[in-house]
Amino acid sequence: MSAPVIEVAGLSVRYRTAKGPALAVDDVGFALSPGERLGLVGESGSGKSTTVLALMRMIKPPGAIDGRILLEGRDVLALSEEELRRARFARMSLVPQGAMSSLNPVLRIRSQFADLFAAHGERADGHRIAALLARVGLPAGVADRHPHELSGGMKQRVCIALAIALTPAVILADEPTSALDVVVQKQVLATLGRVQQEIGAAIVLIGHDMALMAHFVDRIGVMYAGRLVETGPVKAVFRAPRHPYTRMLIGALPSLTERRAFQGIPGVPPSLTDRPPGCPFQTRCPAAEARCRTEAPPARTVGPGHEAACHFAEAA
Amino acid sequence: MYLDYVIRRFGIMVLIFALAVTINFALPRLSPGDPVEQQLSQLMASSGGQVGDVRAMVESYRQRFGLDQPVWRQYLDYWAMVLSLDLGFSLANYPERVGESIAGAMPWTLGLLGMATLISFAAGTLLGGLLAWPRAPRWLGWFAAPFMVLSAIPYFLIGVILLFLGAIVYRIFPAGGGFPFELTPRADWATVSGILWHATLPALSIVLAQIGAWAIGMRGMLVSVLGEDHIVLAEAKGLTQRRIFLWYAVRNALLPQLTKLALTLGHLVSGAILVEVIFSYPGMGYRLYQAIQSKDYFVVQGIVLILSLSIAVTMFILDLLYPLIDPRITNRRN
Ligand SMILES: Nc1ncnc2c1ncn2[C@@H]1O[C@H](COP(=O)(O)OP(=O)(O)O)[C@@H](O)[C@H]1O
Ligand SMILES: [Mg+2]
């Protein structure tokens, strides 16, 4: 295995709020080798977007980032403003959540490519933009359009084309398909996967559709209340999920064979400002015991590259 | 696409203008009695019969109105009059024509109110922009605070205070008029400085009252644009702060500011009428005020017509400019 392109350790994001500090991301760590695909899942509010924004060092006050992010060996949190600006999109790019509204409504697509190239001191000729558009399956004429003249899927593809334009080593894609209908979702995801492979970038894909994710990624990470509660190879996690929350997520999947009602997960996640001691999942966990209310479970290795933060991970 | 849009907008402008002319035509005819006789007798009463050759005026107006003609004929004639820019005579200053009266007042208004509005727009928008700039120095907030306070005070109150302080207590500036009495206007420095001298206090009262509002509007728009999703992507792309601010935030925030500017310019005369009245400034607002006081019906009518026309035209020009700033506009069918 080659050296990881990105290594994250002890990553925390804290927001100062009126009710005290809110820990939106809590001690998250993972590493990706070149070309590897990691999927991050978890219910909304579990800290997925905050995690990728923190990787880009884009958390605004009153938020603060802690921990260590090594991008190709460089400490992202220690970069100067200018070094950081140059690293963005050149080494690590983002397909933001809500890509539908992520293009400037008053600028033509062409200038939104041009200013990316200009910001990184590169020339932006029409051929280069047309070639990028072609790679994501868009006709060259799209360059002369304004965002409102494009469909949701097309805008999403434009965002993907932007994200691969400078051949970064890591692509962070935050729910790149959630606003699209199912057929277009699959097409856009396939395009993302193809171009990601072509440029050899590692990818962190955020999504809440476990089934769609399972087909796309190599490894999966499950987030709950700001923590990465389980990570592992996608096959292992689906075959033998070790954290009760993962089991419930997989159990909540609508199945094609069994025609039963879609099951949600009862209960709500704990408040981020006022965390109970012990395991964050204890309030909703069917297997919680006395120990879970006092002692926070550390991540335990339960298989090759497979970890789960549960006192009973080995037993499961 | 753009041509379609232009034609549609032009049609709306023509429609508004036609409506204004029609209402202007209809109003005197809808009022009971003979409008000419009524106006003249009122005038006689208020000025003690010292109006000059009333009989000749009645004659002239009857002919002008063609009150013996059928209504459709009168309507067409009225249109012909309006289109040839002939708005009739001033009752109070007969035989001055309404057109002349307006033409004499217009440059003063455009000069004073137009300049004052443009200055406060430019200064206020810039100030608001700087206030929202993430790296703005702290003293800027202190600098801006007095303007914010002033924007809550009506401009005519500021006008009265300035008049009191600058022209009565300290006698630095003239108390009224647009130009020194003793001078004959020529294209020389004395004329220009005389005009500027007289315009200073009224202009200042408008500028002081409006800068804060423009700044608040711009800052508010910028803050909301800076919170939009496309700013996140721009930042992630590694654009410089300056580029993001100017090309992604300011440009997008300017659109509503320009709308407001056009509306303000369109309502220039009616909007700041009190400033002209306070400083007896010889513009359209003051003229309108005088005309209403002396029941100079046709001057009022003429000025109102010009106002509706100027509003319709500014709206049209604005409609032409919009799509250049925000390309989404031409697509909206409404
Ligand atoms: N500016 C902020 N101030 C306070 N809390 C925030 C802020 N931004 C995000 N959060 C909190 O961080 C948590 C994680 O949010 P997010 O990362 O968007 O979750 P996800 O992407 O998984 O849906 C949420 O509970 C949210 O309320
Ligand atoms: Mg999210």
Side-chain angles (χ1 to χ4, degrees), chain A residues 44-45 47-50 97 174-175 206:
Chain A
S44 131
K48 307 181 298 290
S49 298
T50 310
Q97 181 163 22
D174 192 353
E175 309 210 18
I206 292 179

Side-chain angles (χ1 to χ4, degrees), chain A residues 205-217:
Chain A
L205 176 72
I206 292 179
H208 49 232
D209 187 337
M210 288 280 274
L212 204 61
M213 194 69 95
H215 293 292
F216 187 82
V217 297

Side-chain angles (χ1 to χ4, degrees), chain A residues 56 58 60 81 85 88-89 94 96 98 101-107 112 115-116 119-120 146 148 159 162, chain B residues 135 228-241 243 247-248 251-252 325-328 331:
Chain A
M56 295 290 288
M58 282 185 43
K60 292 269 155 56
E81 291 266 321
R85 188 184 73 69
R88 285 178 177 168
F89 262 56
L94 174 72
S101 49
S102 286
L103 297 168
N104 188 333
V106 309
L107 295 182
Q112 312 204 29
D115 61 15
L116 172 64
H120 295 275
H146 286 101
H148 70 273
C159 285
L162 282 168
Chain B
R135 293 170 185 189
E228 282 174 18
D229 286 344
H230 66 87
I231 299 289
V232 173
L233 182 60
E235 203 177 326
K237 277 159 75 179
L239 304 192
T240 58
Q241 288 293 327
R243 173 98 187 163
W247 274 78
Y248 282 69
R251 192 191 149 132
N252 295 28
I325 310 165
D326 188 340
R328 285 168 296 185
N331 259 25

Side-chain angles (χ1 to χ4, degrees), chain A residues 19-301:
Chain A
K19 286 192 266 168
L23 203 52
V25 174
D26 182 9
D27 195 18
V28 163
F30 60 85
L32 291 182
S33 18
E36 193 174 3
R37 295 171 169 185
L38 170 71
L40 277 185
V41 294
E43 62 202 326
S44 131
S46 56
K48 307 181 298 290
S49 298
T50 310
T51 301
V52 296
L53 286 178
L55 297 185
M56 295 290 288
R57 215 173 111 187
M58 282 185 43
I59 300 294
K60 292 269 155 56
I65 312 173
D66 259 322
R68 206 168 54 145
I69 304 163
L70 290 184
L71 174 64
E72 300 180 302
R74 287 202 295 169
D75 185 349
V76 171
L77 297 182
L79 295 180
S80 74
E81 291 266 321
E82 180 61 15
E83 287 168 333
L84 175 68
R85 188 184 73 69
R86 293 194 161 277
R88 285 178 177 168
F89 262 56
R91 302 318 307 150
M92 176 158 59
S93 67
L94 174 72
V95 181
Q97 181 163 22
M100 307 291 267
S101 49
S102 286
L103 297 168
N104 188 333
V106 309
L107 295 182
R108 287 178 205 281
I109 301 303
R110 178 184 305 290
S111 20
Q112 312 204 29
F113 276 94
D115 61 15
L116 172 64
F117 290 131
H120 295 275
E122 295 191 20
R123 285 212 22 242
D125 56 274
H127 291 304
R128 190 167 177 191
I129 295 170
L132 279 166
L133 290 172
R135 279 175 86 170
V136 295
L138 292 173
V142 164
D144 293 313
R145 292 278 137 82
H146 286 101
H148 70 273
E149 298 173 278
L150 306 178
S151 73
M154 291 167 92
K155 277 187 262 196
Q156 203 59 260
R157 286 169 189 273
V158 169
C159 285
I160 292 171
L162 282 168
I164 60 163
L166 302 175
T167 54
V170 180
I171 301 172
L172 308 170
D174 192 353
E175 309 210 18
T177 61
S178 57
L180 306 174
D181 63 67
V182 183
V183 179
V184 183
Q185 267 188 12
K186 293 216 165 116
Q187 293 168 347
V188 169
L189 210 54
T191 302
L192 178 62
R194 180 171 48 73
V195 295
Q196 170 255 342
Q197 233 160 23
E198 282 168 10
I199 67 170
I203 189 167
V204 178
L205 176 72
I206 292 179
H208 49 232
D209 187 337
M210 288 280 274
L212 204 61
M213 194 69 95
H215 293 292
F216 187 82
V217 297
D218 311 314
R219 278 201 303 143
I220 202 155
V222 178
M223 288 196 73
Y224 184 80
R227 296 216 193 169
L228 205 49
V229 293
E230 180 160 2
T231 53
V234 69
K235 284 213 182 77
V237 172
F238 270 83
R239 193 174 341 104
R242 298 303 185 102
H243 195 282
Y245 180 61
T246 315
R247 279 202 292 279
M248 292 171 88
L249 276 182
I250 294 171
L253 283 179
S255 148
L256 286 178
T257 47
E258 275 176 89
R259 291 183 62 92
R260 61 191 160 94
F262 177 77
Q263 280 183 311
I265 298 173
V268 290
S271 148
L272 298 180
T273 49
D274 183 24
R275 286 167 170 263
C279 175
F281 191 57
Q282 55 171 295
T283 51
R284 294 162 83 182
C285 185
E289 291 185 8
R291 184 182 174 194
C292 303
R293 297 186 218 298
T294 51
E295 202 183 317
R300 291 157 197 272
T301 304

Side-chain angles (χ1 to χ4, degrees), chain B:
Chain B
M1 179 84 91
Y2 187 62
L3 192 66
D4 258 20
Y5 168 84
V6 170
I7 291 170
R8 238 171 21 238
R9 291 290 137 180
F10 187 78
I12 290 176
M13 179 186 70
V14 170
L15 198 73
I16 291 174
F17 182 59
L19 261 172
V21 170
T22 305
I23 291 171
N24 239 358
F25 167 80
L27 273 183
R29 285 164 182 78
L30 289 178
S31 54
D34 182 329
V36 176
E37 207 116 49
Q38 207 180 329
Q39 293 306 316
L40 289 181
S41 58
Q42 270 181 14
L43 198 61
M44 298 269 284
S46 62
S47 58
Q50 306 274 303
V51 197
D53 192 351
V54 177
R55 204 170 289 274
M57 283 170 68
V58 172
E59 247 349 85
S60 132
Y61 275 109
R62 287 213 175 286
Q63 228 173 339
R64 187 155 293 289
F65 267 159
L67 288 175
D68 44 337
Q69 308 273 343
V71 174
W72 64 266
R73 187 65 212 256
Q74 291 179 34
Y75 185 61
L76 290 184
D77 286 348
Y78 186 72
W79 264 106
M81 262 173 62
V82 167
L83 292 180
S84 59
L85 295 177
D86 178 1
L87 300 170
F89 290 96
S90 160
L91 288 171
N93 303 328
Y94 186 82
E96 189 191 33
R97 289 179 160 272
V98 173
E100 289 165 10
S101 182
I102 292 176
M106 184 88 92
W108 294 103
T109 292
L110 291 185
L112 172 68
L113 300 184
M115 282 310 288
T117 304
L118 289 178
I119 289 172
S120 37
F121 167 79
T125 302
L126 189 68
L127 181 63
L130 289 173
L131 283 173
W133 168 243
R135 293 170 185 189
R138 188 175 278 247
W139 56 262
L140 204 66
W142 295 104
F143 173 74
F147 292 109
M148 307 293 179
V149 173
L150 282 175
S151 74
I153 304 174
Y155 67 91
F156 52 85
L157 214 58
I158 298 181
V160 170
I161 295 169
L162 284 180
L163 181 69
F164 179 70
L165 289 179
I168 297 172
V169 176
Y170 292 109
R171 294 176 179 278
I172 304 168
F173 292 100
F179 192 77
F181 254 134
E182 61 282 3
L183 264 167
T184 20
R186 247 176 294 137
D188 59 5
W189 172 242
T191 307
V192 174
S193 66
I195 291 175
L196 289 180
W197 203 235
H198 279 71
T200 303
L201 286 186
L204 202 60
S205 59
I206 297 173
V207 171
L208 284 182
Q210 288 185 351
I211 279 190
W214 288 115
I216 290 170
M218 184 64 182
R219 186 186 55 183
M221 265 323 291
L222 271 174
V223 166
S224 108
V225 173
L226 283 170
E228 282 174 18
D229 286 344
H230 66 87
I231 299 289
V232 173
L233 182 60
E235 203 177 326
K237 277 159 75 179
L239 304 192
T240 58
Q241 288 293 327
R242 172 190 300 269
R243 173 98 187 163
I244 294 172
F245 192 70
L246 292 180
W247 274 78
Y248 282 69
V250 169
R251 192 191 149 132
N252 295 28
L254 223 44
L255 181 71
Q257 285 289 102
L258 285 175
T259 315
K260 256 193 285 176
L261 175 64
L263 286 175
T264 315
L265 288 177
H267 293 93
L268 208 57
V269 178
S270 45
I273 195 168
L274 286 172
V275 162
E276 291 192 351
V277 172
I278 291 167
F279 291 96
S280 339
Y281 203 77
M284 299 261 283
Y286 187 51
R287 191 74 193 81
L288 180 62
Y289 166 78
Q290 284 179 320
I292 291 171
Q293 284 234 310
S294 60
K295 301 200 169 62
D296 198 341
Y297 199 78
F298 300 103
V299 172
V300 175
Q301 230 185 7
I303 292 182
V304 169
L305 191 67
I306 295 287
L307 290 191
S308 354
L309 181 63
S310 71
I311 292 173
V313 170
T314 32
M315 291 310 292
F316 176 63
I317 294 175
L318 184 70
D319 282 338
L320 291 190
L321 292 180
Y322 263 171
L324 303 181
I325 310 165
D326 188 340
R328 285 168 296 185
I329 303 278
T330 41
N331 259 25
R332 253 181 242 154
R333 311 238 157 206
N334 50 4

